[in-house]
Amino acid sequence: MPGRECHHCKRWVEDGEEHDCWTTTEAALTQNLSDDLRDAWERLRETAVSFGDQRIYASHKSIMFSRKTCYFFVRPKPNFLEVCVFLGRTLKAPQVRRSDPASKSKVYHIIQIKHRDEVEAPITDWLREAYGLSDVLASKGKVRTHSVKKRRR
């Protein structure tokens, strides 16, 4: 049978078959979670929704939470939820596995969540901070002033 192996998901795709492994859904990404991880995911999502208006969507292997830009995302893994939070500062806390600059104004922080009880302060505080920062950074981007230098002749 003619076809090809997708280099992203390693699935065999027949010739003529539609295939877009980058497009997925929340349900598809969370369907195989254990009961503990599903409870943690539901609490994490409910917490984020309580912050206010935002867009929540699945993209490749992550579930994104976005206002003007993404302020955090979740990668469901077999044994934990990998949460990546974008803040304007570097956190020093035992929950943070890793942090690095994401841009001039943001630092990403990787946090692993294994149980519903972990979705509480300070993690929920950091998510709320990231939600607010997303708006602040977006408004700063709109207010740009350009100085024009005059040439000397």
Side-chain angles (χ1 to χ4, degrees):
M1 294 176 142
R4 64 181 172 80
E5 182 182 61
C6 174
H7 65 279
H8 293 290
C9 67
K10 307 299 182 209
R11 187 174 148 243
W12 185 259
V13 181
E14 298 293 333
D15 280 348
E17 176 186 352
E18 284 192 34
H19 177 72
D20 183 6
C21 64
W22 289 89
T23 303
T24 189
T25 63
E26 281 183 56
L29 291 172
T30 59
Q31 70 184 355
N32 296 325
L33 293 177
S34 67
D35 289 343
D36 281 344
L37 288 179
R38 182 169 305 285
D39 288 346
W41 160 247
E42 289 170 359
R43 187 168 187 176
L44 192 62
R45 191 180 195 291
E46 288 166 7
T47 299
V49 167
S50 73
F51 299 154
D53 289 340
Q54 61 190 294
R55 181 172 172 234
I56 303 171
Y57 60 98
S59 177
H60 194 48
K61 294 183 180 183
S62 302
I63 301 166
M64 318 297 279
F65 293 77
S66 177
R67 296 186 77 190
K68 299 274 186 197
T69 61
C70 178
Y71 70 97
F72 90 98
F73 64 85
V74 179
R75 281 191 202 112
K77 304 282 187 171
N79 299 316
F80 57 89
L81 300 175
E82 184 177 72
V83 179
C84 181
V85 183
F86 297 96
L87 294 171
R89 63 190 176 100
T90 302
L91 297 173
K92 299 287 183 194
Q95 297 92 333
V96 178
R97 296 287 183 133
R98 179 176 162 200
S99 62
D100 279 309
S103 69
K104 288 181 181 180
S105 57
K106 291 194 282 188
V107 178
Y108 74 84
H109 302 82
I110 303 295
I111 301 165
Q112 290 183 1
I113 295 179
K114 297 179 181 177
H115 194 271
R116 178 181 178 92
D117 294 343
E118 294 177 86
V119 184
E120 59 184 22
I123 293 173
T124 54
D125 296 336
W126 298 332
L127 295 176
R128 185 180 306 280
E129 180 182 340
Y131 178 86
L133 178 67
S134 177
D135 224 17
V136 170
L137 293 177
S139 67
K140 283 185 179 180
K142 289 179 185 174
V143 184
R144 291 189 181 191
T145 57
H146 298 285
S147 60
V148 178
K149 291 185 179 180
K150 291 184 179 181
R151 287 188 184 178
R152 290 187 174 178
R153 293 184 181 196

